[in-house]
Amino acid sequence: MQPAVVDTLSPVVVSNELRKKELFDLVVERSGMKKKDVKPVVEAMLAVLGDALAEQREMNLQPLGKMKVQRGKELADGRALVLKLRQKSAKLNATPDTPESNPSILPAAE
C-alpha cells in the first residue's frame, strides 16, 4: 500500500474579543442584578473610560490594573492608542473580600 497525501486542515481562528453584549451578560451574572439595571451603568462607565483615554489620563482601576497611554495617532476615522496595562498577578479574577463572598471574614459572634 502506497502512502497517500492528504490535505492538511487549516486552523479556524475563533475571535477571543469581548463585545458589549457579552460584557453585559457577564456583569449581570457576576453582580446578580437585572440586565436593564446593568446596561446603563456599564454604558456610562465605558463612556467615562473612553473620555479618560481621549484625554490620555493615567488610570489606576484595580483589579483591571494601572493603564497609561504610551502614544497616540490621529487617523481619518478616529484615533489609535498604544496602551501600557500593568495588572497585579495575585487574584486577577477573584471577587473582593466581602462578608458575602468570603465567610471567613465575618465578624466573630459575641
Side-chain angles (χ1 to χ4, degrees), residues 3-64:
V5 176
V6 290
D7 291 334
T8 58
L9 296 175
S10 59
V12 175
V13 177
V14 177
S15 175
N16 199 18
E17 185 176 85
L18 177 64
R19 298 210 175 242
K20 277 201 311 189
K21 182 186 181 318
E22 183 183 0
L23 178 62
F24 294 146
D25 295 340
L26 291 170
V27 171
V28 165
E29 181 182 316
R30 192 168 286 192
S31 69
M33 297 177 66
K34 294 180 181 180
K35 189 171 185 174
K36 68 176 185 147
D37 297 328
V38 164
K39 190 174 178 182
V41 173
V42 172
E43 289 280 0
M45 184 195 69
L46 291 173
V48 169
L49 291 174
D51 291 345
L53 287 171
E55 296 167 6
Q56 297 194 8
R57 292 183 62 185
E58 192 170 310
M59 294 180 257
N60 190 351
L61 305 171
Q62 301 303 327
L64 175 63

Side-chain angles (χ1 to χ4, degrees), residues 74-93:
E74 294 296 327
L75 304 172
D77 60 344
R79 174 183 298 128
L81 298 174
V82 177
L83 306 174
K84 179 179 180 180
L85 176 66
R86 182 179 180 101
Q87 293 182 315
K88 292 185 178 183
S89 57
K91 298 183 184 179
L92 279 179
N93 295 317

